[in-house]
Amino acid sequence: MKKVDYSGEVPRSPEDVYAALTSPEFWRSYATSHRLAAPTVETVQEGGATVTRMSSRVGVPSQARALAGDSADVSTTTRWSTPSAGDLRVDVAAKQKADVTGTITLTPAASGTRLAFSGELNVRVPFLGGVAEGQAVKYVPQAFADLAKTLTSWQQ
């Protein structure tokens, strides 16, 4: 497992960022703007938490196809215990499996909201998992940076 951290600012209020991250419309818009297949998305209340579940099939970058295959099924669950903190789990099922788990936090910042993630990446490839994790770990912060950029421009 590899530790993964991200911290960046979004020039929107924490309430706006939380509303977007729990909105099926935001995630569908995100997929469209990134030329991804439309995800199945639902947000429900469970045990006092707001839970957003999303699933989609995505293409795999050419440099990873030898290990992962041509496409991967991605399932994401975010369980928000409060509008400022949620537990995230991303499962990737392809020729080999991987997951990202951790905590997302939204806190007020000078320019709006500090979006932060702290977690772990686990690539389950026999003998090569550590090498694959070392390569893949850089993409998680990039994905969060891209998410922050999309949150900035999203129109509700």
Side-chain angles (χ1 to χ4, degrees):
M1 281 191 237
K2 294 279 186 186
K3 181 88 172 122
V4 183
D5 291 302
Y6 169 80
S7 182
E9 290 193 20
V10 178
R12 297 185 85 140
S13 72
E15 295 80 16
D16 283 351
V17 173
Y18 173 77
L21 294 176
T22 58
S23 167
E25 292 78 20
F26 170 78
W27 290 110
R28 288 184 194 107
S29 172
Y30 180 91
T32 299
S33 69
H34 290 80
R35 297 186 181 110
L36 300 171
T40 301
V41 186
E42 71 171 352
T43 298
V44 297
Q45 296 297 312
E46 287 182 359
T50 301
V51 180
T52 301
R53 290 186 186 88
M54 184 172 24
S55 62
S56 185
R57 181 170 287 240
V58 299
V60 172
S62 59
Q63 65 270 27
R65 287 188 182 144
L67 289 175
D70 293 337
S71 64
D73 292 318
V74 179
S75 301
T76 304
T77 302
T78 310
R79 179 175 297 278
W80 294 94
S81 54
T82 69
S84 61
D87 293 322
L88 172 70
R89 179 173 185 90
V90 179
D91 289 297
V92 179
K95 195 160 79 173
Q96 303 295 334
K97 298 187 184 312
D99 61 69
V100 175
T101 58
T103 303
I104 297 173
T105 56
L106 306 175
T107 55
S111 68
T113 301
R114 174 149 308 278
L115 169 66
F117 174 76
S118 181
E120 294 179 334
L121 166 71
N122 182 21
V123 177
R124 292 182 232 119
V125 178
F127 307 111
L128 298 174
V131 172
E133 285 171 350
Q135 294 298 311
V137 74
K138 64 185 172 189
Y139 293 109
V140 177
Q142 288 175 358
F144 274 98
D146 184 61
L147 176 61
K149 182 178 174 184
T150 304
L151 284 163
T152 298
S153 62
W154 188 57
Q155 301 298 314
Q156 297 180 8

